[in-house]
Amino acid sequence: NAGVTQTPKFQVLKTGQSMTLQCAQDMNHNSMYWYRQDPGMGLRLIYYSASEGTTDKGEVPNGYNVSRLNKREFSLRLESAAPSQTSVYFCASSEGGTTNEKLFFGSGTQLSVL
Amino acid sequence: SQQGEEDPQALSIQEGENATMNCSYKTSINNLQWYRQNSGRGLVHLILIRSNEREKHSGRLRVTLDTSKKSSSLLITASRAADTASYFCATPTSGTYKYIFGTGTRLKVLA
């Protein structure tokens, strides 16, 4: 099992460019999440999807959009990248259904916006 | 936000010593989880303690939870160089699947 797979692993963008971060899980999980990690800030939740067909805002949703394409895939889109979006992005998934469950993380995407 | 706060921010110990890190949170919780992150990698789940539990063990890990003080501690006994990592606590926002993470403790174990 691959678990949670994120692509790309690294990306450099110019201010104003757009891009989509891809995430897929093969564990048949219902819930999926996007976090960003900045030095000294820990992980902050951008968006999450409790189940296929639903998405909700997290702590820092501004400047991002998400799509839960199907049960396996949850993408994060930056429509017009800004230097403040330079960060490491992590996708995660969980079984869903209760809150007493653990998250499984991908290996991250390191994004630099110049 | 219901973000947990870990303390200390950084900790450096000798191999074989015990490492203790603490987490405080703000509101009522169903459970609290601890995760480890090795440099440049994703987070890995270590242990989950439910709100009706006071202590839980997993190998060299011991977690305590004090809901009256809204705090938890993670103890790693007989630490090894391989335990060098950042450790985060996480709590689900009440009634949702939104897991909020703390800022983490960076642990360095010196061989």
Side-chain angles (χ1 to χ4, degrees):
Chain A
N1 279 346
V4 179
T5 303
Q6 291 183 235
T7 56
K9 292 192 183 302
F10 301 95
Q11 184 70 48
V12 178
L13 294 177
K14 295 181 180 178
T15 297
Q17 287 186 316
S18 62
M19 79 159 295
T20 300
L21 279 63
Q22 307 286 353
C23 175
Q25 51 89 11
D26 62 2
M27 296 173 282
N28 200 36
H29 284 173
N30 289 304
S31 300
M32 298 185 73
Y33 312 78
W34 277 105
Y35 287 89
R36 61 177 287 175
Q37 184 176 32
D38 302 296
M41 298 291 291
L43 278 81
R44 291 183 291 171
L45 182 63
I46 304 171
Y47 271 94
Y48 73 108
S49 172
S51 61
E52 186 179 357
T54 68
T55 60
D56 281 288
K57 295 178 180 179
E59 300 171 273
V60 288
N62 291 344
Y64 305 95
N65 285 303
V66 290
S67 295
R68 184 73 184 266
L69 304 171
N70 47 56
K71 192 171 184 179
R72 289 187 65 247
E73 299 172 288
F74 189 38
S75 63
L76 179 71
R77 183 160 178 83
L78 287 70
E79 291 290 352
S80 179
S84 61
Q85 294 178 305
T86 293
S87 188
V88 181
Y89 291 84
F90 288 99
C91 178
S93 71
S94 66
E95 287 187 17
T98 77
T99 54
N100 287 324
E101 53 191 48
K102 59 185 178 182
L103 301 182
F104 293 79
F105 281 83
S107 57
T109 295
Q110 191 167 319
L111 176 67
S112 295
V113 183
L114 306 178
Chain B
S1 118
Q2 193 181 317
Q3 188 176 36
E5 297 289 336
E6 283 92 341
D7 169 59
Q9 290 187 332
L11 180 61
S12 185
I13 60 174
Q14 294 291 132
E15 203 166 32
E17 293 180 337
N18 295 341
T20 299
M21 52 206 85
N22 305 294
C23 168
S24 61
Y25 56 92
K26 296 178 182 177
T27 63
S28 297
I29 58 172
N30 292 328
N31 69 78
L32 185 142
Q33 303 178 29
W34 286 91
Y35 289 78
R36 183 187 71 221
Q37 183 181 34
N38 291 91
S39 181
R41 309 293 294 273
L43 279 73
V44 175
H45 181 267
L46 293 176
I47 195 166
L48 180 153
I49 186 165
R50 298 172 190 264
S51 58
N52 61 354
E53 297 176 311
R54 291 296 168 259
E55 187 171 313
K56 198 164 184 178
H57 296 255
S58 177
R60 294 184 296 113
L61 305 180
R62 172 179 169 249
V63 170
T64 62
L65 179 65
D66 187 336
T67 53
S68 67
K69 295 181 180 179
K70 291 187 170 56
S71 68
S72 173
S73 67
L74 171 67
L75 168 68
I76 304 173
T77 60
S79 63
R80 306 166 181 168
D83 294 327
T84 294
S86 292
Y87 293 82
F88 296 87
C89 65
T91 53
T93 302
S94 179
T96 77
Y97 301 106
K98 294 166 62 172
Y99 290 79
I100 305 298
F101 284 77
T103 52
T105 292
R106 295 188 310 278
L107 173 65
K108 187 169 186 178
V109 181
L110 304 171

